[in-house]
Amino acid sequence: MLSLRVLTDPEADWPVWREVRLAALTEAPHAFKARLAEWDRGGEARWRARLEAPDAYNVVALLDGRAIGMASGVPGGNGVCELRSVWVGPDARGRGVADELLAAVEMWARRSGATALKLAVIPGNEPAAALYRRHGFVATGESGDVLTDGVTREQVMVKELG
């Protein structure tokens, strides 16, 4: 059975966040700006710090109690929140897990008073871009962060929450 678990206790929840984040960076390094080597050596304090970010929203998807996906929401300025770190394990893809994670982050953003939800996707990650378009995100044309090659930039997308 699929369930979502919001991580609210950094002391108790950091191991599950570490497990799913390392799985994501291992399985889909092409999908993230962060690299496994940066996080693999992160100690407990680093993992807790990620969960201690003020007003952030971190959620994992569980299938029969096993973490199979994740997503985060981060407050931003001017009524815009950010969607980050979306990943679903390969054995759970195609089951609506990403839809559930995106809906949870969007609900959090709306409750936070956001008027828009913004994200950055790595160019060439068409499955992710298609997922986001299906959920109402559109490319902004805004230049995202420069990737490790020093040339390529993330593609910025936004969904107006009205």
Side-chain angles (χ1 to χ4, degrees):
M1 184 169 98
L2 178 68
S3 62
L4 298 183
R5 176 177 161 195
V6 179
L7 306 180
T8 58
D9 180 356
E11 187 170 323
D13 292 337
W14 74 267
V16 71
W17 183 254
R18 179 186 62 191
E19 173 190 344
V20 72
R21 180 74 170 152
L22 292 178
L25 294 172
T26 299
E27 190 277 324
H30 63 280
F32 298 99
K33 185 171 57 174
R35 294 288 167 240
L36 179 62
E38 298 166 17
W39 282 93
D40 194 30
R41 61 182 180 267
E44 180 179 338
R46 183 171 187 186
W47 292 104
R48 282 184 183 199
R50 173 67 187 257
L51 298 179
E52 291 170 344
D55 301 319
Y57 180 82
N58 299 289
V59 60
V60 294
L62 303 167
L63 186 59
D64 299 326
R66 184 175 54 91
I68 53 141
M70 66 178 191
S72 290
V74 179
N78 300 321
V80 178
C81 287
E82 263 189 76
L83 173 66
R84 293 187 182 170
S85 304
V86 177
W87 175 79
V88 174
D91 56 336
R93 292 179 188 151
R95 296 179 173 189
V97 176
D99 298 328
E100 295 288 330
L101 289 166
L102 266 59
V105 175
E106 181 178 332
M107 187 182 319
W108 161 83
R110 288 178 184 278
R111 282 193 317 262
S112 299
T115 57
L117 189 56
K118 193 175 190 178
L119 62 86
V121 64
I122 304 293
N125 189 352
E126 186 52 34
L131 168 73
Y132 300 138
R133 285 192 300 271
R134 198 169 69 245
H135 281 269
F137 288 86
V138 295
T140 65
E142 176 185 336
S143 293
D145 290 346
V146 176
L147 301 177
T148 55
D149 67 5
V151 177
T152 308
R153 291 184 171 271
E154 295 173 308
Q155 177 185 356
V156 177
M157 301 178 81
V158 68
K159 178 177 182 175
E160 298 297 329
L161 301 178

